[in-house]
């Protein structure tokens, strides 16, 4: 997909972050702004790739340097820290079938 240049990097990031949060009416996610939950991934756009396949779904991605969830480092220098600061996020459709 990267080689085909179907999307710009900026459009791809927007579609995976702010656009999803907006579509699901999740107000405190999807953009970096003071007072909101800070979920940030630092990656190399030239090397990032998902190695998971249907047969081997638990393969780690390559090219991710750092990940911060709710402002806490969960990956530093491409190594998992063990921190688990995530929170369950429920959109407006939650509870319709429960």
């Amino acid at each position: 997909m990267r080689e085909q240049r179907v999307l710009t990097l900026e459009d791809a990031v927007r579609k995976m972050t702010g656009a999803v949060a907006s579509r699901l009416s999740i107000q405190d996610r999807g953009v970096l702004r003071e007072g909101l939950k800070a979920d940030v991934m630092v990656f190399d756009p030239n090397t990032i790739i998902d190695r998971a396949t249907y047969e081997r779904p638990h393969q780690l991605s390559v090219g991710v340097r750092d990940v911060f969830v709710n402002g806490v480092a969960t990956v530093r220098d491409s190594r998992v820290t063990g921190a688990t600061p995530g929170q369950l996020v429920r959109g407006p459709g939650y509870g319709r079938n429960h």
Side-chain angles (χ1 to χ4, degrees):
M1 188 100 135
R2 174 178 37 232
E3 294 79 19
Q4 297 172 347
R5 302 204 189 282
V6 174
L7 290 174
T8 65
L9 176 61
E10 294 81 4
D11 281 340
V13 169
R14 183 186 55 77
K15 285 177 177 266
M16 292 183 284
T17 58
V20 173
S22 178
R23 186 173 64 246
L24 295 177
S25 300
I26 301 172
Q27 304 298 320
D28 64 347
R29 303 283 174 155
V31 295
L32 291 177
R33 187 176 302 135
E34 187 175 347
L36 301 185
K37 304 290 185 185
D39 297 336
V40 178
M41 181 175 73
V42 179
F43 64 94
D44 181 340
N46 296 312
T47 62
I48 191 163
I49 191 164
D50 181 10
R51 298 282 187 200
T53 64
Y54 182 76
E55 295 80 20
R56 300 181 68 200
H58 300 292
Q59 303 304 304
L60 295 177
S61 297
V62 175
V64 176
R65 192 184 87 197
D66 299 298
V67 176
F68 300 88
V69 176
N70 293 333
V72 177
T74 58
V75 175
R76 290 299 288 219
D77 297 319
S78 302
R79 292 186 172 83
V80 176
T81 66
T84 57
Q87 297 174 336
L88 181 63
V89 177
R90 293 187 172 130
Y94 179 78
R96 288 185 186 164
N97 296 319
H98 294 97

